[in-house]
Amino acid sequence: MILKIFLLILITISSYSQVILSKEELDYIKNKKVIKVSNEYDYEPYDFSKNGKERGYSIDLLNLLLKNTGLKIEYVTKPWDELLKDLNDKKIDLLHTIYKTPQREKIYNYSVGYSKTIQSYIIRQNDNDIEDIKQLFGKTIGLSKEWVEEKIFNKYPKIKKIYYTNLQDKLNALSKGEIDAIINSANVANYYINKYGYSNLKVSTPFKEEQSIQLDDHHFVTLKDNPYLISILNKEYDNLSIEEIEKLNKKWFGNLSPYNGKIKIHLSSKEKEYLRDKQTIKICIDPQWMPFESFDQNGNYIGIIADHYKVFEELLSVKFQALKTNSWTETLEYAKQKKCDIVSVLMETNERKEYLNFTAPYLTMPLVIATKLNVTFINNINELAGKKVGIPKGYSFVKIFKEKYPFLNIIEVENIDDGLKKLKKGELFAYFGTLPSIIYKLQNKYGGDLKISGKIDEQWSLRIGIRNDDIELLNIFQKVVENMSEQYKREIINKWVSIKYEKGINYELLWSIVAVFILILVIVLYFFNKQRKFNIQLKEQKEEFESIFKYSKDGIAILNLEFQILDCNDAYLAIIGYEKEELLTKNYLDFFDSNIKNEIDKLIKEVYSKGFVDNFSTIYISKNGKKIYTNITITMMPDKQRYLLTSKDITSTKLLESQSKLALMGEMIGNIAHQWRQPLSVITTSASALKIRFKFDEKMNLETVSDFSNKIVEQAEYLSHTIDDFKNFIKGDKEYRKISIKNIIKSTISLTSATIKNNFINLVTSLPDDIIIYGNKNELEQAFINIINNAKDQLKEKDIPDDHKFIFIYTKQHDDGSLEVSISDSGGGIPLDIIDRVFEPYFTTKDNSIGTGIGLSMVHKIITERHQAQISVTNLESKYNEHTYKGACFSIIFSKAADEENIKNDK
């Protein structure tokens, strides 16, 4: 923004001088005399022919550029593809209104870009906007041969293409429904729609290819062997004033103001009601800070900031009343006493945060150094050591500069006029201020005595200050700040900061001024180029965030500090079941199940104390009363005024876990029955034997009784042990702690051994190696049991002799410290056409009465997500007792990295 002000100053001054051409360029003009230039029939409003006369924005611009060069123009009117061929055949010298492509750059010289266009979809009024090019798959688009659009859409064979000679033919076909869309420059399309009355057409969203918006410049081009014509045009274009360019823009495109009534602020119903009740908002301003703000002789609030608040009035339908104070110090006192609702713009400081809340930065201004004319250019602030420097009293930079540059002799002045008067009188050596305010004063009052002599590294980042007891007003102005156009801000500043000169010019002084401004400009360009790159990066990050916000499959919402919902994406609406307008009137905390109040209190405390909470499992109550199980993350956003919430619906996962656990519990009941048969048999046999002996053998000795008793106790202890094993499994311990994989395998074997033996299956184990991980014993047992049961069911179904039914369980330590657990069987293996699907939820090859298809899906989730291990399945041949057995082999690799910090404790 400020860079363009400097360019405006430099271009305005330079416009009074002639463009300096090189000898080669002058020779080109002398020898050429007349150049042949392209003219299309119908590319309105840039380049077209009417009644045999060439017309358009590009035609007017070219005539303006060459009017003082001595070159005459002869226009050649033909269709675009013929003009392109004429240039390549050297039948014309110059082609204009052309886009740049890598292929064209190899054969053409390009001028500077003179008119930016955003390529957009043009569709029928009743059609939905096109957010993704894939929406056109199976539909038809209108194209023109040799236009850039042809190459773009050739990459998409699923989109049908019909070719037309010109834009109007395409618009006619689109209007009649013969095609579904075209792409073209938005301003060109609007020109045609408005001029020719295509009332059923509209300009849709910007065209995106691979998630980037197509932004193009129009250029003049010549063949590579003709560089001088382009260099002449570039120099003449650089010499044009902004006023001349704006005059052309208004002639062909009308008012280009980016505001033009089109900025939309989306307020909640609560915010709208607040403004209706408020009616008038009181503003505290700096009364002596032109061109930013002040009062004129009639008491009217004027200046750059005042013009912004005129726009705010229209956007918010509310009245602003600027309160009169005598100084900036008095203004801040008014704000402390809550006499005003907002302070127009100011810097955020810790002291001011005691009585004001602040929006995001609204305007950023560079600080410069003003001195008398005889002071040389100041390269570094250190050159001002010990010298008197003026800064207005109460400005935040007084304290900042005193702390950062203690070598400065800072003198606090009443205001900018007081400071510049003292500077003129020699009472100060320099004055620090914003670039626009000092330029404004030099233009109107001190131009013959003072000048800008340098730039300061610091920038004045201005925000809107809101009284800290009015959160609603803060939220409203945050939305205003986020939605105001940078271009519109720039236009307001340009209106107040411009250079005007009388016709009588002292050229010696003029070139001195030019030299000074060029020197300043070089310095400022360096700093502002860094700022520009930062802004581009910030914009890209913003666009990336907006894309993620819009298209994420997880629910995303933005909350204020009171957990009021400010915005949300479609995925979040799908989870919670409300319409967006309805949702934005509610508080986020209203959606929780009342039975988990203690958990929610814990959540709120953690968010307030840490600024975030991660992976918190909880339950929402949707609009229709349904319980929704979710995992949420809440993070404080950079502005410290809002929270970012992400929410994942895990209801189906919880259901899957429950079904899997129920299926396993059914298996465990069978296991209990099988496992208890033998010890119960021993107990009953021993008890019966004792009874019989007591009945028939009165002389039974104590040793015999003790032997039978020991057998009964031993089997009872075994039963008790198995009860503990089953109880711990069914209880479902959720704690994660250090555990041994070998011990988990042993306890799993204990739980399943009975059912394995009952099905005449031989279990072969080799567990020489072990690893200690941070995990959940119950979950891993569940995973191993599912795999073993899968092998058992496979062996039961196959017609295999009992002595060839095997389940093999092995462990093996790898060189990197990881442990591989393999569980394989002799059941013949898994068919290759389905082996890649065995971990899918609800996929099963078993009869419905046997399998649900959820066991192996839960195995995969437990192993990979909750324990960050790897699991795979293959068909493997195993050798045992001189026989080879083929079957499915599940391989699980546990890494040492799966420790406490890396385990995802999914509650």
Side-chain angles (χ1 to χ4, degrees):
M1 175 166 46
I2 304 304
L3 175 59
K4 289 203 171 182
I5 296 172
F6 266 108
L7 289 173
L8 171 63
I9 295 168
L10 185 58
I11 291 170
T12 307
I13 296 172
S14 301
S15 63
Y16 291 99
S17 63
Q18 295 294 317
V19 172
I20 300 175
L21 300 178
S22 67
K23 180 181 181 302
E24 291 80 6
E25 291 163 346
L26 291 171
D27 287 343
Y28 176 85
I29 293 171
K30 180 180 177 182
N31 296 327
K32 192 70 178 175
K33 294 186 174 60
V34 178
I35 60 170
K36 291 186 177 183
V37 178
S38 65
N39 173 224
E40 286 190 73
Y41 283 115
D42 49 17
Y43 191 53
E44 298 183 53
Y46 284 100
D47 179 26
F48 61 101
S49 179
K50 189 170 184 180
N51 299 325
K53 176 70 175 175
E54 59 280 345
R55 298 193 62 201
Y57 179 94
S58 297
I59 300 293
D60 283 357
L61 177 61
L62 185 61
N63 291 336
L64 182 63
L65 293 176
L66 296 183
K67 69 177 181 180
N68 295 323
T69 63
L71 278 173
K72 302 299 180 185
I73 304 172
E74 179 184 324
Y75 287 99
V76 178
T77 306
K78 289 184 179 182
W80 171 255
D81 53 347
E82 292 184 28
L83 290 169
L84 199 61
K85 186 175 185 303
D86 280 357
L87 178 65
N88 294 334
D89 294 340
K90 299 188 178 182
K91 293 180 180 179
I92 60 174
D93 301 292
L94 184 76
L95 193 73
H96 56 82
T97 322
I98 185 171
Y99 297 138
K100 185 182 290 188
T101 68
Q103 291 75 19
R104 289 174 177 173
E105 282 189 282
K106 295 175 183 177
I107 54 176
Y108 300 139
N109 293 312
Y110 277 83
S111 72
V112 296
Y114 60 79
S115 177
K116 292 190 182 298
T117 63
I118 293 180
Q119 299 299 317
S120 299
Y121 293 104
I122 294 78
I123 58 177
R124 285 180 289 279
Q125 282 282 359
N126 295 330
D127 291 345
N128 293 328
D129 286 331
I130 300 171
E131 300 292 345
D132 190 313
I133 198 168
K134 292 180 182 177
Q135 290 173 241
L136 287 173
F137 286 4
K139 297 185 178 181
T140 306
I141 191 158
L143 303 175
S144 294
K145 288 284 186 184
E146 300 296 329
W147 288 26
V148 173
E149 60 186 21
E150 182 183 22
K151 183 175 180 182
I152 292 172
F153 282 96
N154 279 342
K155 293 189 289 186
Y156 299 97
K158 293 183 181 180
I159 301 175
K160 300 174 185 177
K161 305 164 189 70
I162 297 179
Y163 288 88
Y164 298 89
T165 305
N166 53 53
L167 176 59
Q168 192 149 7
D169 287 348
K170 286 189 279 189
L171 291 169
N172 287 338
L174 180 61
S175 181
K176 291 187 291 185
E178 296 172 0
I179 55 178
D180 298 296
I182 66 172
I183 62 166
N184 209 294
S185 141
N187 50 4
V188 170
N190 276 320
Y191 174 92
Y192 269 84
I193 289 170
N194 293 328
K195 181 173 180 178
Y196 295 104
Y198 291 102
S199 58
N200 67 330
L201 301 184
K202 67 178 180 180
V203 175
S204 179
T205 51
F207 168 72
K208 292 182 181 179
E209 188 184 16
E210 296 175 356
Q211 301 305 316
S212 64
I213 292 176
Q214 190 82 10
L215 177 64
D216 294 307
D217 278 336
H218 284 126
H219 300 270
F220 299 106
V221 298
T222 65
L223 292 175
K224 284 286 188 182
D225 60 0
N226 181 10
Y228 302 119
L229 182 53
I230 291 298
S231 63
I232 292 169
L233 289 173
N234 284 344
K235 288 181 179 180
E236 293 290 346
Y237 187 80
D238 289 342
N239 195 50
L240 280 184
S241 67
I242 288 180
E243 288 80 7
E244 289 174 297
I245 294 172
E246 285 183 344
K247 186 176 178 181
L248 268 182
N249 287 334
K250 286 178 180 179
K251 174 181 177 181
W252 290 105
F253 304 117
N255 183 10
L256 287 178
S257 167
Y259 169 58
N260 202 20
K262 294 179 181 177
I263 298 175
K264 300 295 182 185
I265 307 295
H266 297 284
L267 300 178
S268 67
S269 55
K270 185 177 179 181
E271 290 165 342
K272 291 175 182 176
E273 183 180 355
Y274 170 92
L275 291 173
R276 281 196 299 270
D277 294 341
K278 191 76 173 173
Q279 293 185 346
T280 300
I281 296 174
K282 294 179 181 178
I283 316 175
C284 283
I285 75 161
D286 187 338
Q288 296 167 321
W289 193 33
M290 288 300 287
F292 288 99
E293 56 184 4
S294 186
F295 293 101
D296 65 13
Q297 293 178 345
N298 298 320
N300 299 313
Y301 179 34
I302 60 170
I304 292 171
I305 306 302
D307 282 0
H308 283 88
Y309 277 90
K310 289 176 184 175
V311 177
F312 298 167
E313 280 190 334
E314 185 177 344
L315 292 174
L316 301 176
S317 300
V318 70
K319 180 73 175 173
F320 289 99
Q321 178 188 351
L323 302 183
K324 289 188 177 180
T325 57
N326 295 316
S327 66
W328 176 243
T329 304
E330 187 177 355
T331 292
L332 293 178
E333 196 57 42
Y334 268 44
K336 288 180 185 177
Q337 297 172 14
K338 304 287 192 287
K339 289 184 179 181
C340 51
D341 300 300
I342 62 177
V343 180
S344 56
V345 286
L346 74 170
M347 275 192 68
E348 179 181 13
T349 66
N350 290 332
E351 182 183 351
R352 292 170 182 173
K353 283 162 72 174
E354 294 178 3
Y355 54 92
L356 292 173
N357 287 324
F358 292 87
T359 66
Y362 182 64
L363 292 173
T364 302
M365 298 290 165
L367 292 171
V368 294
I369 305 167
T371 65
K372 298 181 81 170
L373 293 176
N374 61 343
V375 175
T376 58
F377 189 80
I378 299 170
N379 291 298
N380 192 302
I381 199 169
N382 294 324
E383 296 176 21
L384 298 175
K387 296 187 173 6
K388 293 182 178 180
V389 175
I391 306 177
K393 191 184 301 180
Y395 277 22
S396 56
F397 269 109
V398 173
K399 183 178 179 181
I400 292 171
F401 283 142
K402 282 183 177 180
E403 291 176 354
K404 188 170 183 179
Y405 305 111
F407 52 80
L408 292 177
N409 183 6
I410 294 176
I411 307 296
E412 296 186 57
V413 298
E414 291 299 322
N415 49 55
I416 185 170
D417 276 312
D418 181 38
L420 294 179
K421 282 178 185 175
K422 284 182 166 60
L423 181 61
K424 181 179 176 181
K425 292 178 183 177
E427 297 175 21
L428 298 172
F429 180 80
Y431 174 84
F432 290 174
T434 63
L435 179 66
S437 61
I438 290 182
I439 287 179
Y440 181 85
K441 290 297 180 183
L442 294 184
Q443 291 171 355
N444 294 285
K445 206 167 185 179
Y446 303 100
D449 304 290
L450 306 176
K451 69 176 182 179
I452 296 173
S453 296
K455 181 185 178 298
I456 304 171
D457 289 340
E458 282 75 10
Q459 293 205 12
W460 208 311
S461 182
L462 300 172
R463 306 167 186 257
I464 298 175
I466 316 292
R467 54 189 293 171
N468 61 2
D469 59 353
D470 196 336
I471 298 299
E472 204 72 57
L473 193 58
L474 173 66
N475 292 334
I476 291 169
F477 269 90
Q478 182 61 38
K479 291 181 180 180
V480 170
V481 168
E482 290 171 354
N483 286 278
M484 273 298 291
S485 162
E486 287 297 323
Q487 187 178 346
Y488 192 67
K489 294 179 195 177
R490 183 167 59 249
E491 283 189 2
I492 293 176
I493 293 175
N494 289 346
K495 168 187 167 184
W496 285 94
V497 185
S498 58
I499 304 294
K500 297 180 178 67
Y501 291 93
E502 300 298 327
K503 288 186 179 180
I505 300 172
N506 180 337
Y507 281 97
E508 185 177 349
L509 175 61
L510 174 64
W511 284 110
S512 299
I513 294 172
V514 170
V516 170
F517 272 108
I518 288 174
L519 190 57
I520 295 172
L521 184 61
V522 169
I523 301 297
V524 173
L525 279 173
Y526 170 75
F527 290 102
F528 279 93
N529 186 50
K530 291 172 69 176
Q531 182 68 27
R532 181 184 64 82
K533 290 179 180 178
F534 175 75
N535 289 339
I536 291 172
Q537 185 181 8
L538 198 62
K539 181 182 178 184
E540 289 174 350
Q541 290 173 348
K542 181 182 178 185
E543 289 174 350
E544 183 179 0
F545 172 79
E546 289 173 347
S547 178
I548 292 170
F549 184 85
K550 186 172 183 180
Y551 298 110
S552 173
K553 292 182 180 179
D554 290 342
I556 303 176
I558 296 174
L559 317 173
N560 65 15
L561 298 183
E562 283 71 40
F563 294 93
Q564 192 75 26
I565 298 174
L566 305 177
D567 198 4
C568 65
N569 66 354
D570 291 342
Y572 189 75
L573 295 175
I575 292 172
I576 208 69
Y578 285 87
E579 295 295 326
K580 191 166 188 177
E581 287 295 323
E582 197 176 9
L583 192 67
L584 295 183
T585 64
K586 295 186 175 293
N587 191 287
Y588 172 66
L589 302 180
D590 296 340
F591 300 120
F592 289 111
D593 189 336
S594 58
N595 295 324
I596 58 170
K597 184 178 182 303
N598 291 338
E599 287 187 36
I600 301 311
D601 290 341
K602 177 184 174 183
L603 167 71
I604 295 171
K605 287 178 183 177
E606 191 170 348
V607 171
Y608 279 146
S609 62
K610 294 166 56 178
F612 71 93
V613 64
D614 186 35
N615 197 31
F616 185 89
S617 293
T618 186
I619 303 172
Y620 287 161
I621 303 298
S622 68
K623 185 178 179 180
N624 61 10
K626 181 181 176 183
K627 286 187 177 181
I628 309 295
Y629 292 85
T630 62
N631 264 3
I632 63 172
T633 297
I634 302 177
T635 308
M636 178 78 75
M637 295 185 72
D639 61 9
K640 303 296 175 64
Q641 300 296 322
R642 296 171 297 167
Y643 294 118
L644 180 68
L645 163 79
T646 59
S647 184
K648 181 189 287 288
D649 186 347
I650 58 170
T651 306
S652 60
T653 303
K654 288 290 184 184
L655 178 61
L656 187 66
E657 290 179 9
S658 177
Q659 290 174 335
S660 178
K661 196 63 180 282
L662 286 173
L664 271 182
M665 285 174 66
E667 288 280 350
M668 290 300 99
I669 291 171
N671 279 346
I672 291 172
H674 291 306
Q675 200 144 333
W676 280 12
R677 278 177 184 160
Q678 182 178 351
L680 286 174
S681 176
V682 172
I683 290 171
T684 55
T685 301
S686 298
S688 298
L690 277 173
K691 183 178 179 181
I692 292 169
R693 289 203 177 192
F694 270 117
K695 186 174 182 179
F696 296 103
D697 189 2
E698 295 180 359
K699 296 180 180 180
M700 186 169 52
N701 59 39
L702 184 61
E703 183 180 346
T704 303
V705 173
S706 176
D707 184 48
F708 280 113
S709 299
N710 287 338
K711 287 182 179 179
I712 292 172
V713 170
E714 181 182 337
Q715 296 306 314
E717 287 177 351
Y718 175 78
L719 291 175
S720 176
H721 175 72
T722 59
I723 288 171
D724 288 340
D725 284 346
F726 290 127
K727 182 179 69 175
N728 290 334
F729 176 80
I730 293 170
K731 182 181 177 183
D733 179 19
K734 293 294 183 182
E735 291 298 320
Y736 278 66
R737 55 176 64 88
K738 290 182 178 179
I739 53 176
S740 159
I741 296 298
K742 182 187 288 189
N743 288 341
I744 298 295
I745 295 172
K746 287 180 177 180
S747 65
T748 302
I749 292 171
S750 173
L751 290 167
T752 57
S753 59
T755 187
I756 291 172
K757 290 177 182 178
N758 191 61
N759 285 282
F760 308 104
I761 297 171
N762 303 291
L763 181 64
V764 178
T765 63
S766 176
L767 311 174
D769 298 325
D770 191 16
I771 191 173
I772 304 297
I773 70 163
Y774 194 83
N776 181 271
K777 175 180 181 292
N778 190 263
E779 288 180 349
L780 287 175
E781 284 177 349
Q782 181 180 348
F784 289 145
I785 288 170
N786 267 309
I787 296 173
I788 290 171
N789 282 342
N790 195 72
K792 177 201 72 177
D793 292 340
Q794 180 76 357
L795 291 168
K796 281 171 63 179
E797 290 177 14
K798 298 287 185 177
D799 186 16
I800 302 173
D802 290 345
D803 59 346
H804 287 279
K805 292 181 179 179
F806 286 96
I807 294 177
F808 305 98
I809 303 177
Y810 300 143
T811 63
K812 179 184 177 182
Q813 192 97 31
H814 289 183
D815 292 341
D816 61 1
S818 61
L819 179 76
E820 181 176 1
V821 178
S822 63
I823 303 175
S824 59
D825 60 64
S826 59
I830 302 171
L832 294 179
D833 60 337
I834 64 167
I835 195 169
D836 292 335
R837 300 186 59 196
V838 296
F839 294 124
E840 293 180 10
Y842 302 106
F843 177 78
T844 180
T845 59
K846 303 175 187 176
D847 183 86
N848 288 339
S849 64
I850 300 174
T852 62
I854 55 179
L856 292 181
S857 170
M858 280 307 304
V859 168
H860 190 272
K861 180 178 178 65
I862 290 168
I863 297 298
T864 61
E865 293 184 22
R866 299 190 178 175
H867 292 84
Q868 292 189 351
Q870 302 171 38
I871 183 168
S872 60
V873 59
T874 57
N875 291 324
L876 184 72
E877 290 186 349
S878 303
K879 288 188 177 181
Y880 183 70
N881 287 345
E882 299 181 354
H883 285 85
T884 300
Y885 301 100
K886 182 179 180 181
C889 177
F890 289 84
S891 174
I892 306 165
I893 298 177
F894 293 95
S895 170
K896 282 189 174 181
D899 56 20
E900 183 172 359
E901 295 300 319
N902 294 308
I903 291 297
K904 180 180 180 184
N905 193 351
D906 189 352
K907 297 179 181 177

